[in-house]
Amino acid sequence: MGKYVQAQRRGKSPIFKAHTRTRKGAVKLRALDYAEKHGYIRGVIKEILHDPGRGAPVAKIQFRNAYRFQRDNELMVCTEGMYEGQFIYCGKKATLSVGNVLPLSAMPEGTVVCNVETRQGDRGTIARTSGTYAIVVTHDEDKGTTRLRMPSGGKKTVASDVRAQIGIVAGGGRTDKPLLKAGAAYHKYAVKRNCWPKIRGVAKNPVEHPFGGGNHQHIGKPSTVNRERPAGRKVGLIAARRTGRLRGKKVVE
C-alpha cells in the first residue's frame, strides 16, 4: 500500500492553504451603484501599497459614501501612471484617462484596459496581474457585446455594460529579472502558498508517486490518464485530448 500522493494532500491538508495573514485585502472595483450607472463618482488615491504575494502594487482609494456621512476605502489594482493624491473617476460619464473606471460601451475600439469584469457587477476578474492588459477590439451594438483581446492573445466576448479600469497594470517587467538563487524563490513563494520546491514524480519513490522508482528516472507507463481514475493514480496528463509538441504557428485573428 503506497502513501497518499501530494495531489491528494493538497485537497484536504491545511498546510497547502494560501498564506493570507499579511495581505491587505480583496482587490476589487467599487460595488456597482446608481452613481456609476448614470453618472460618475470621484475618489482620491490615499496610498499606494505593496500587497505581499502579489506582483502588482495596490491603490487605496477613498470615496464619499452617497448615503451616509462617511468615507469608503476601496482597494483597486494600480495602473501605470497612478500617484498618491490623484483623483479617480468611476462611472458611465467618467473621462477616458488612466486609472478611471468606465463601462466598455463608453470606450472606443483600441482602448487598453485592465481589471475587466466578466459579468456586470463581479468587480473585476480579467487582466489583474502585474504588467498585463486587455484591448477592446470591436463593439457589436446590436447584440450589446464587446470583443476583447486577452493577455494570452486569445479573444473573448463579454457584455458591453461590464466595467474596466483604463491602463496597464503596474509592476510590469517583474519576471524579466531572474531569481538567481533558491533563497529568492523560497521567499517569493513563502508569502503565496506552500507550492515550492516542486519535486518531479519520477524523482520520488514508488510509494509516493505512480511514476516513482526504477533504476533510471523514467515513467514506465503512459503519462496520459483517464478522467475517472482514482485520486492516487490521477497524475500526469489528465484526460489529454492531445499530447506532444505544438507544431505550426499560432494564428491570432
Side-chain angles (χ1 to χ4, degrees):
M1 187 66 197
K3 291 183 179 182
Y4 283 113
V5 300
Q6 195 174 21
Q8 290 173 282
R9 290 173 51 229
R10 276 182 198 283
K12 63 194 275 193
S13 170
I15 68 165
F16 295 102
K17 282 183 180 173
H19 301 164
T20 56
R21 183 179 58 84
T22 55
R23 305 235 175 131
K24 299 292 183 282
V27 175
K28 298 178 178 180
L29 300 175
R30 284 182 77 252
L32 188 61
D33 59 2
Y34 185 89
E36 284 204 39
K37 281 183 184 173
H38 297 93
Y40 66 86
I41 186 166
R42 189 180 79 172
V44 62
I45 298 177
K46 286 289 181 185
E47 205 176 350
I48 289 174
L49 307 162
H50 166 67
D51 191 15
R54 183 188 295 272
V58 167
K60 183 179 175 183
I61 305 176
Q62 199 171 76
F63 295 91
R64 282 178 62 180
N65 190 301
Y67 306 103
R68 291 186 183 84
F69 181 67
Q70 66 183 48
R71 307 205 180 250
D72 297 331
N73 290 317
E74 301 284 349
L75 285 178
M76 288 195 196
V77 166
C78 205
T79 57
E80 284 184 11
M82 271 188 177
Y83 55 90
E84 289 183 10
Q86 180 185 352
F87 288 125
I88 295 295
Y89 297 89
C90 302
K92 184 181 173 183
K93 295 185 179 174
T95 56
L96 199 71
S97 55
V98 169
N100 288 357
V101 179
L102 287 83
L104 290 181
S105 56
M107 299 179 190
E109 292 168 3
T111 307
V112 172
V113 294
C114 63
N115 201 10
V116 190
E117 293 182 322
T118 308
R119 294 181 189 82
Q120 189 184 32
D122 72 12
R123 303 177 71 181
T125 56
I126 299 168
R128 291 159 52 94
T129 58
S130 54
T132 57
Y133 60 92
I135 297 173
V136 177
V137 180
T138 52
H139 293 295
D140 188 337
E141 290 176 12
D142 299 333
K143 292 180 183 173
T145 58
T146 298
R147 201 146 167 78
L148 294 174
R149 178 176 288 130
M150 306 288 277
S152 62
K155 301 274 178 52
K156 185 175 175 72
T157 303
V158 293
S160 294
D161 56 6
V162 303
R163 296 171 296 162
Q165 232 172 308
I166 295 171
I168 299 171
V169 183
R174 176 174 52 84
T175 54
D176 295 347
K177 179 173 177 271
L179 291 171
L180 288 180
K181 58 181 187 174
Y186 169 83
H187 289 293
K188 175 184 174 177
Y189 292 105
V191 289
K192 289 179 183 284
R193 69 202 72 81
N194 178 12
C195 63
W196 185 89
K198 279 192 170 67
I199 301 167
R200 293 164 299 130
V202 289
K204 296 181 180 179
N205 295 315
V207 290
E208 289 147 356
H209 198 276
F211 297 166
N215 281 350
H216 299 282
Q217 286 192 1
H218 69 293
I219 294 175
K221 53 175 80 74
S223 58
T224 52
V225 62
N226 191 329
R227 172 86 63 211
E228 310 304 325
R229 290 309 294 273
R233 177 64 184 87
K234 202 157 79 167
V235 294
L237 304 172
I238 298 166
R241 289 194 179 89
R242 63 178 302 285
T243 60
R245 210 156 52 86
L246 284 167
R247 301 179 74 90
K249 67 178 186 199
K250 188 177 176 185
V251 179
V252 179
E253 294 170 18

